[in-house]
Amino acid sequence: MSNILLETKDLRVCFKSDASVVRAADGVSFQVERGKVLGIVGESGSGKSVTSLSVMRLIPKPNGYIEGGQILFHGEDLLRKSEKEMRRIRGNKIAMIFQEPMSSLNPVFKIGEQLGEALKLHQGISGKENRRRCMEMLELVRIADPKKMLDRYPHELSGGMRQRVMIAMAILCDPELMIADEPTTALDVTIQAQILQLLRDLQKKREMSIMFITHDLGVIAEIADRVAVMYAGRIVEEAEVSTLLRSPLHPYTRGLIDAIPENYDPKFGFRSIPGMQPSAQNMPQGCSFAPRCAYACSECGRAVPELVEIQPGHTVRCILGGKGGM
Amino acid sequence: MTRYLIRRLAQSILILFCVTVIVFLFINLAPGDPYTQRLDPSVSAEVREEMLQKMGYYDPVPIKYFKWIRDVFRGDFGYSIKYKKPVWDVICERLPNTVLMGAGALILSTAIAIPAGKTSATKRNSVFDYMGTVLSFIGISIPAFFFGLLLIKWLSFDLKIFPISGMVTVGAGYQGWDFIKDVAWHLVLPTVVLALLQTATLMRYTRSSMLEVFDHDYIRTARAKGLSEAVVVNKHAFKNALIPIITVLSMQIPTIFSGAVLTETIFVWPGIGRLSYTAILDRDYPLIMALLLMTTVIILLSNLIADLLYAVIDPRIRYE
């Protein structure tokens, strides 16, 4: 049996607006191994959420659509599945948690109802057994008094509690893959740490794979095994997390690491990457990072660089082949 | 909750009092007396004066109001000047007719508008949505009397499918099942006319409310669970979209009881709407006041019910 659970190949996702078509993800390829955590890191608008939503085939219609590529789950292309087949996968084999715990739960249904729904749908479990399983899950995500929780409404819970409920909802049907789209971004720092710890424990215990999306390299360092850095709709570097943090090859990755407040250097002050990510409407020719890159040369504007494997398991999309980042 | 209810009811009584004072004042300030319209011109002025004296027409307005409200508290709404019987009896005769038509129209419009509004929202910018939009704008902008006359001309006069007016075929004397069929047949056109405006409004509200809900994160969560689109729309989205829909419905409920003046007048439907209209023309003060009182009570009650329903649907709304 292959060790690859999920693999995207050359995934391209577009959004139509009034006049133009914008490519939000442009040839994204990555692999998620069984029982491993792949972190996808990038700033807002880099296409990381769009990538994760396409795996669920939940790109907002009718403006968004998947232009091409493949999303292989257990070697089967999800893009060829019917909507009905996809529904059997969503929430069952692949579950997702979102950035905004405050608004991701339906305000007019009780927690028990919202949790139990997926269990009933995918496993046909209802009634007392359904309630018991929901309580078990709430206990697993360390919610005190899970029985009471079932009869509460989302507005009665704090953000951290709601995110725990979302996680309980996600693991209820024992998925093989969990997609976590910035699950800790909206939480304050202490709660963030608890939620990360929880996710890591659950992932180990249940041998689940996680695709973890964030803009925070610090979070990646704590949870991910491998990490892919996205910039303007493309993956620009991918490596094991320790390798990437220790010896980044792409100037963008280097910039991100330098910008972590913990890497504050009195000599430079807090550092940031100058400039802005180009909007998808006016993408520069060639390397999309070139306009902000300190190492850019005329060569960079010629064509989009290919992803090159510099060392085994470490790929980078830069013509300098990593020399610029060191 | 109980405290809230008591407070709301107390407020309602105060509003009711103000409404009766204002209405009473205006009606009594209007020129004309109950006999201007109906009395034979040959009746002598003295006889007429005497009749007016006897019914207290020349009492000062505050005294008149006091007399009226005193009787109302005793459950006596007075004696209709025109119909020569207790106001309460007159209203009770007409009320079922109005409820029949009003409830029919409300059920019809809800049954059409809510599914259509939902479909319009889920298939936004589709042919169905555009057609729905155009039709509802026609429905909102076409006056009831015009649409009513149009239907009468086309379906009743030209095609002779439906009766032109009234509630029963005059002189047929149907009994039992035949009577019900006869009334139902007369009911169709006025109900359709009354339902048109309600359908149009309710459909627009349903559509926009659903569209707003679709943008929320919890809809994406529901889809991510693997729920079918039908469950996402009808359960997760619709329950959240209900608040504006209830508001619109609660504004239409008073129509069931107070009647639709225009529609009832055009179709000569013997309901409360037409009764109010003729009562005003006839200066039938006791009848006018009773009808207005009834309408106000119903409006206040349906607002209260709507507010309570909000709390039933949305657990975030609590009344303390």
Side-chain angles (χ1 to χ4, degrees):
Chain A
M1 198 156 78
S2 156
N3 212 26
I4 306 297
L5 180 65
L6 178 84
E7 181 175 15
T8 70
K9 286 184 178 166
D10 195 27
L11 181 66
R12 294 186 308 275
V13 185
C14 293
F15 282 89
K16 275 185 295 199
S17 62
D18 287 335
S20 59
V21 173
V22 153
R23 199 174 276 160
D26 191 359
V28 173
S29 305
F30 60 82
Q31 297 177 339
V32 182
E33 285 177 52
R34 235 172 259 278
K36 290 282 165 79
V37 179
L38 173 75
I40 296 181
V41 70
E43 49 193 295
S44 311
S46 59
K48 54 197 196 310
S49 287
V50 164
T51 306
S52 67
L53 279 175
S54 0
V55 175
M56 292 290 262
R57 290 254 312 266
L58 284 177
I59 294 290
K61 277 181 266 187
N63 293 331
Y65 60 96
I66 296 171
E67 190 188 36
Q70 285 181 307
I71 300 174
L72 303 172
F73 183 66
H74 285 293
E76 288 177 48
D77 192 353
L78 295 183
L79 297 181
R80 287 164 186 272
K81 299 234 180 253
S82 69
E83 181 54 32
K84 207 171 155 194
E85 289 170 311
M86 269 320 286
R87 282 207 299 268
R88 276 203 289 272
I89 292 172
R90 279 182 210 136
N92 192 21
K93 304 269 187 245
I94 307 178
M96 190 158 180
I97 55 178
F98 300 98
Q99 179 174 0
E100 289 293 339
M102 301 313 267
S103 55
S104 291
L105 288 166
N106 196 325
V108 301
F109 293 105
K110 288 179 178 167
I111 300 296
E113 163 76 21
Q114 299 194 49
L115 276 178
E117 214 173 19
L119 202 57
K120 187 153 187 260
L121 179 75
H122 295 298
Q123 303 187 356
I125 299 171
S126 58
K128 273 204 180 115
E129 173 65 8
N130 187 309
R131 250 179 111 75
R132 196 187 60 72
R133 286 277 293 274
C134 291
M135 257 162 66
E136 228 175 72
M137 284 304 142
L138 290 174
E139 233 176 291
L140 211 59
V141 297
R142 293 168 208 154
I143 280 178
D145 205 352
K147 195 172 178 181
K148 232 178 170 173
M149 179 60 75
L150 290 178
D151 291 317
R152 295 173 88 175
Y153 286 99
H155 72 277
E156 299 172 288
L157 316 179
S158 67
M161 289 293 243
R162 290 189 213 183
Q163 198 57 294
R164 282 168 199 268
V165 169
M166 285 300 290
I167 294 170
M169 191 188 285
I171 59 175
L172 198 58
C173 295
D174 210 1
E176 295 167 88
L177 174 69
M178 181 199 271
I179 301 173
D181 187 358
E182 307 227 23
T184 57
T185 307
L187 305 172
D188 63 58
V189 184
T190 45
I191 309 291
Q192 246 184 44
Q194 290 172 15
I195 296 286
L196 277 182
Q197 182 70 40
L198 174 67
L199 280 174
R200 204 163 39 193
D201 291 353
L202 287 172
Q203 184 259 329
K204 291 255 149 51
K205 226 180 282 173
R206 315 195 131 217
E207 294 176 344
M208 185 168 63
S209 306
I210 299 185
M211 193 174 140
F212 197 100
I213 288 135
T214 180
H215 63 261
D216 187 342
L217 269 176
V219 169
I220 289 287
E222 285 194 48
I223 195 158
D225 298 300
R226 275 186 79 77
V227 53
V229 180
M230 279 191 83
Y231 185 78
R234 297 193 187 98
I235 290 180
V236 292
E237 183 166 7
E238 193 191 334
E240 293 296 311
V241 74
S242 53
T243 317
L244 185 109
L245 292 176
R246 216 177 328 106
S247 45
L249 294 178
H250 198 284
Y252 178 62
T253 317
R254 175 80 258 173
L256 283 183
I257 293 171
D258 284 342
I260 299 175
E262 280 79 7
N263 294 340
Y264 173 73
D265 185 335
K267 215 161 49 185
F268 302 104
F270 286 111
R271 279 174 291 178
S272 61
I273 305 172
M276 298 262 287
Q277 182 174 236
S279 72
Q281 281 96 340
N282 39 37
M283 206 47 88
Q285 283 262 307
C287 173
S288 47
F289 186 63
R292 301 171 75 181
C293 182
Y295 305 91
C297 53
S298 58
E299 185 80 8
C300 294
R302 222 157 275 162
V304 178
E306 293 296 313
L307 263 180
V308 192
E309 190 160 30
I310 303 293
Q311 279 155 1
H314 194 166
T315 52
V316 66
R317 193 188 288 278
C318 178
I319 51 163
L320 296 175
K323 287 186 279 296
M326 301 301 276
Chain B
M1 190 68 188
T2 322
R3 279 187 57 192
Y4 173 79
L5 258 181
I6 293 170
R7 208 178 66 219
R8 276 294 297 267
L9 287 173
Q11 278 172 0
S12 303
I13 289 168
L14 190 71
I15 294 172
L16 211 54
F17 173 72
C18 298
V19 169
T20 55
V21 169
I22 293 168
V23 170
F24 200 87
L25 211 66
F26 274 110
I27 286 180
N28 278 282
L29 288 177
D33 63 66
Y35 300 116
T36 352
Q37 289 254 320
R38 275 175 300 132
L39 230 47
D40 193 332
S42 64
V43 175
S44 75
E46 292 89 67
V47 176
R48 191 175 144 155
E49 280 304 300
E50 201 191 305
M51 286 169 79
L52 285 173
Q53 286 282 359
K54 229 171 75 189
M55 63 172 284
Y57 180 75
Y58 292 111
D59 287 350
V61 175
I63 303 281
K64 277 202 268 192
Y65 178 78
F66 177 74
K67 278 187 185 164
W68 176 77
I69 200 100
R70 183 195 60 198
D71 290 344
V72 167
F73 272 112
R74 290 183 188 145
D76 175 9
F77 289 92
Y79 211 72
S80 164
I81 299 166
K82 180 182 178 187
Y83 298 92
K84 310 249 184 306
K85 40 184 180 177
V87 162
W88 191 243
D89 292 357
V90 177
I91 291 179
C92 284
E93 256 170 44
R94 299 292 197 98
L95 196 57
N97 304 342
T98 280
V99 170
L100 187 63
M101 188 171 111
L106 192 67
I107 291 167
L108 181 70
S109 64
T110 312
I112 296 171
I114 288 184
K118 278 188 194 172
T119 314
S120 241
T122 46
K123 302 199 161 117
R124 191 182 186 177
N125 298 337
S126 65
V127 177
F128 182 92
D129 186 24
Y130 287 135
M131 267 171 54
T133 305
V134 169
L135 284 180
S136 50
F137 276 123
I138 291 175
I140 289 169
S141 33
I142 197 168
F145 71 87
F146 182 69
F147 184 56
L149 289 177
L150 217 61
L151 288 188
I152 291 174
K153 163 81 171 82
W154 179 43
L155 293 174
S156 305
F157 189 76
D158 293 345
L159 298 176
K160 305 207 169 13
I161 302 173
F162 293 107
I164 287 176
S165 67
M167 199 174 136
V168 285
T169 310
V170 178
Y174 289 122
Q175 295 291 315
W177 184 236
D178 286 330
F179 175 74
I180 294 173
K181 276 200 294 194
D182 191 41
V183 172
W185 187 48
H186 280 78
L187 190 62
V188 175
L189 286 190
T191 310
V192 167
V193 170
L194 190 56
L196 178 78
L197 177 68
Q198 293 178 354
T199 309
T201 318
L202 190 58
M203 191 176 146
R204 294 307 291 170
Y205 272 93
T206 309
R207 178 183 181 273
S208 67
S209 183
M210 289 295 280
L211 279 178
E212 201 232 303
V213 169
F214 283 151
D215 281 340
H216 280 98
D217 290 346
Y218 51 78
I219 297 300
R220 189 181 52 189
T221 307
R223 291 198 175 114
K225 271 186 216 176
L227 298 173
S228 69
E229 207 47 32
V231 177
V232 172
V233 170
N234 293 314
K235 181 179 169 185
H236 284 263
F238 186 58
K239 200 174 174 195
N240 280 283
L242 265 178
I243 296 236
I245 295 173
I246 287 173
T247 313
V248 176
L249 281 177
S250 77
M251 290 193 292
Q252 290 176 349
I253 283 172
T255 323
I256 298 183
F257 299 95
S258 63
V261 177
L262 285 176
T263 314
E264 286 184 8
T265 308
I266 292 161
F267 289 97
V268 200
W269 189 262
I272 299 287
R274 204 155 63 89
L275 184 66
S276 314
Y277 171 67
T278 50
I280 292 168
L281 284 187
D282 296 332
R283 306 289 193 286
D284 195 341
Y285 299 126
L287 188 55
I288 297 173
M289 287 308 294
L291 286 169
L292 281 164
L293 193 65
M294 185 182 85
T295 310
T296 317
V297 167
I298 288 161
I299 290 173
L300 288 172
L301 268 183
S302 54
N303 279 339
L304 181 62
I305 291 170
D307 282 348
L308 296 180
L309 275 180
Y310 293 161
V312 171
I313 283 155
D314 192 334
R316 287 168 299 181
I317 300 173
R318 281 283 165 269
Y319 300 117
E320 300 306 337

